[in-house]
Amino acid sequence: MTQAEIKLCSLLLQEHFGEIVEKIGVHLIRTGSQPIRVIVHDTGTSLDQVKKALCVLIQHNLVIYQVHRRGMVEYEAQCSRVLRMLRYPRYIYTAKTLYNDTGELIVEELLLNGKMTMSALVKKVADRLTETMEDGKTMDYAEVSSTFVRLADTHFVQRCPLVHATENSDSGPLPPAPTLVINEKDMYLVPKLSLIGKGKRRRSSEDDATGEPKAKRPKHITDNKEPIPDDGIYWQANLDRFHQHFRDQAIVSAVANRMDQTSSEIVRTMLRMSEVTTPSSAPFTQPLSSNEIFRSLPVGYNISKQVLDQYLTLLADDPLEFVGKSGDSGGGMYIINLHKALGSLATASLESIVQERFGSRCARIFRLVLQKKHLEQKQVEDFAMIPAKEAKDMLYKMLSENFISLQSIANLIERRQFETKENKLDASEIQVDETIFLLESYIESTMKRQ
């Protein structure tokens, strides 16, 4: 992790959780896995404060722990998860776009609190929505629950791992740290709750005349309420699913720009059919038959089966290979090649950045080097049809900005090759999150295939 990334993590942790949590989090980012006694010693923080900071970080999935054979527990920071906090507004906006204000507040509360039970979340969101309504109107718990179920069905929220059943029994000593497990088939299973009620408004009478909250009051009898029906079943936002949605939207948009709206709607339908059956890291979607795609097209989208087959053939024959044909049964089997699509989108983003920063001639050189992988300076001049002096100046500009790199070939004197340096792009200068996301996704996809 670079110093710039560590600094950014530090600022994010401090802004969201305060100085103590930031101090512990950054220490773990810099040092790697550490037991609690070492953290206390190295940071000069009290044991109680370290424990509380670790609890906060674990609650928000920013730190994980591991029990070693000797029974020692070590804590490790999740740097990439800390950086995901930059994208919180985009996750929340996506939920609002797909599931209106109720979905927006559900995701916002999960991101703010890390993990919550469904019952607590429904009540909190209903209260917040009621606060924004006209006097006399309230938000029903059932309506919030319905939106929550839809988010779970589409995998935007998921269950958190639970303590292993054997550790909940009273027999034997407790382990140094709990083992958390979850069955994959239960990850999106919503408990059957009977949440009856409506959101409540805050009462101004709870504050005194000066606007200051009153001193702690004795607990009311209502504190002796019934057990929470879903106690122990916690939920969290599924960030990978949001990233999958961002990727799918980028693919649909690229197809619309390259071809037409009908082609993009066909691709959107294929992605929607595969969104909960295809893992976010998969290189391509599950095969879908032409008949299945035709039946799943949006209601009112009036194209014949023959026209659909023509569009699918056109998409499969396109040089970018976003859509591929994998068989002939069911009128033809088709897939979306997610890895190739990400590669094409990342390449287009890189070329656009180079053109904007250095001009069209540099973009032509960069495109050549990207295609050929490595070229000698003389080859760059010939292929790009650019004079030697200009080509040399342009190559130096891109080299100095880390867009290409210079590689010496062993056993050949003064022979050098230029190659693209996709993974070294200075993302801090790119303001568009979409561009960063595409490049990041393509790099991750490439690494998983190796």
Side-chain angles (χ1 to χ4, degrees):
M1 177 164 273
T2 65
Q3 290 300 312
E5 287 174 315
I6 293 173
K7 178 63 175 175
L8 181 55
C9 287
S10 171
L11 293 171
L12 287 168
L13 290 172
Q14 185 168 5
E15 180 182 349
H16 284 79
F17 307 112
E19 292 183 4
I20 295 175
V21 173
E22 180 268 337
K23 187 177 184 180
I24 304 304
V26 171
H27 174 73
L28 289 174
I29 289 172
R30 292 185 185 277
T31 60
S33 298
Q34 293 282 338
I36 196 166
R37 58 180 178 79
V38 176
I39 300 172
V40 170
H41 177 269
D42 290 353
T43 61
T45 310
S46 70
L47 178 62
D48 184 56
Q49 287 181 321
V50 170
K51 285 182 177 180
K52 288 178 179 177
L54 288 173
C55 283
V56 170
L57 291 166
I58 292 170
Q59 171 78 6
H60 289 267
N61 300 312
L62 305 177
V63 161
I64 58 173
Y65 59 84
Q66 185 176 4
V67 182
H68 291 270
R69 290 181 181 178
R70 296 181 181 178
M72 182 175 63
V73 182
E74 287 195 346
Y75 299 87
E76 181 182 352
Q78 300 295 288
C79 309
S80 60
R81 186 62 176 74
V82 176
L83 294 174
R84 290 289 173 269
M85 294 166 72
L86 285 169
R87 212 166 268 153
Y88 278 8
R90 193 174 177 192
Y91 302 144
I92 295 167
Y93 179 74
T94 299
K96 180 182 178 69
T97 304
L98 298 174
Y99 300 102
N100 301 319
D101 293 347
T102 308
E104 173 191 12
L105 293 187
I106 288 173
V107 171
E108 183 180 326
E109 285 294 330
L110 286 174
L111 292 174
L112 286 173
N113 294 281
K115 303 175 179 71
M116 293 182 74
T117 62
M118 177 183 172
S119 56
L121 181 60
V122 167
K123 292 173 183 176
K124 176 71 172 176
V125 170
D127 289 348
R128 288 186 61 183
L129 288 169
T130 299
E131 287 282 345
T132 64
M133 292 180 170
E134 297 175 4
D135 289 343
K137 293 185 177 181
T138 56
M139 174 58 67
D140 198 289
Y141 288 170
E143 190 173 337
V144 180
S145 296
S146 175
T147 303
F148 182 91
V149 170
R150 290 166 62 201
L151 282 162
D153 288 344
T154 50
H155 298 186
F156 283 102
V157 299
Q158 62 184 13
R159 281 194 185 193
C160 302
L162 302 171
V163 177
H164 198 278
T166 57
E167 295 183 14
N168 281 326
S169 60
D170 296 331
S171 59
L174 289 173
T179 302
L180 302 178
V181 294
I182 189 166
N183 193 326
E184 191 172 344
K185 66 181 180 64
D186 296 332
M187 195 172 282
Y188 307 101
L189 181 64
V190 179
K192 294 180 179 179
L193 303 178
S194 180
L195 297 174
I196 302 171
K198 297 179 182 293
K200 298 176 179 63
R201 299 178 189 273
R202 293 178 184 174
R203 294 181 181 177
S204 56
S205 59
E206 289 178 357
D207 295 343
D208 62 18
T210 62
E212 296 288 330
K214 290 185 178 180
K216 289 185 178 179
R217 302 174 177 83
K219 291 188 177 180
H220 296 287
I221 299 173
T222 52
D223 288 343
N224 299 322
K225 50 191 175 185
E226 297 177 1
I228 300 172
D230 59 341
D231 190 25
I233 302 176
Y234 288 87
W235 293 82
Q236 61 189 355
N238 182 5
L239 303 191
D240 286 341
R241 177 66 182 87
F242 281 97
H243 291 171
Q244 182 181 339
H245 177 76
F246 299 158
R247 178 203 65 197
D248 292 352
Q249 292 298 101
I251 292 172
V252 170
S253 178
V255 172
N257 291 334
R258 183 171 176 82
M259 299 180 126
D260 62 10
Q261 197 62 39
T262 302
S263 299
S264 70
E265 197 58 51
I266 292 169
V267 170
R268 188 197 305 276
T269 300
M270 294 174 69
L271 289 168
R272 190 175 64 248
M273 294 169 69
S274 308
E275 63 186 5
V276 296
T277 59
T278 302
S280 58
S281 59
F284 43 78
T285 61
Q286 298 292 328
L288 298 168
S289 71
S290 172
N291 293 331
E292 288 176 312
I293 298 168
F294 182 70
R295 289 193 296 269
S296 300
L297 285 171
V299 178
Y301 210 79
N302 297 319
I303 64 169
S304 65
K305 176 66 166 57
Q306 183 180 2
V307 172
L308 171 65
D309 290 337
Q310 291 173 349
Y311 267 103
L312 287 170
T313 300
L314 188 67
L315 285 163
D317 291 341
D318 187 78
L320 290 182
E321 299 181 272
F322 278 25
V323 175
K325 191 170 184 179
S326 62
D328 295 315
S329 59
M333 302 296 288
Y334 295 89
I335 60 169
I336 305 284
N337 194 326
L338 301 171
H339 180 73
K340 283 191 175 180
L342 282 172
S344 298
L345 293 171
T347 300
S349 296
L350 283 167
E351 291 173 359
S352 175
I353 293 164
V354 171
Q355 180 160 340
E356 185 175 338
R357 186 175 295 187
F358 304 110
S360 59
R361 286 196 165 192
C362 274
R364 191 194 311 171
I365 293 174
F366 185 82
R367 194 177 296 114
L368 274 172
V369 180
L370 200 60
Q371 291 171 352
K372 304 289 185 181
K373 304 303 180 188
H374 18 68
L375 291 169
E376 294 181 0
Q377 184 175 318
K378 183 66 169 65
Q379 291 175 309
V380 170
E381 298 163 11
D382 294 341
F383 287 140
M385 293 183 290
I386 294 175
K389 186 178 184 303
E390 285 187 43
K392 185 176 181 180
D393 290 343
M394 292 174 184
L395 287 168
Y396 177 77
K397 283 181 184 178
M398 290 188 285
L399 180 66
S400 63
E401 293 282 344
N402 281 339
F403 281 94
I404 62 175
S405 63
L406 190 63
Q407 180 183 356
S408 296
I409 306 300
N411 302 323
L412 292 175
I413 300 174
E414 294 183 354
R415 181 177 176 181
R416 294 167 179 169
Q417 293 185 326
F418 291 96
E419 62 180 6
T420 54
K421 202 170 183 181
E422 291 178 75
N423 296 7
K424 299 297 184 182
L425 182 64
D426 183 6
S428 64
E429 295 183 23
I430 303 171
Q431 301 301 316
V432 185
D433 182 65
E434 185 68 25
T435 303
I436 300 172
F437 171 74
L438 288 172
L439 298 176
E440 188 180 76
S441 300
Y442 178 58
I443 292 167
E444 289 176 2
S445 178
T446 302
M447 292 174 68
K448 286 172 183 174
R449 286 169 61 89
Q450 290 175 350

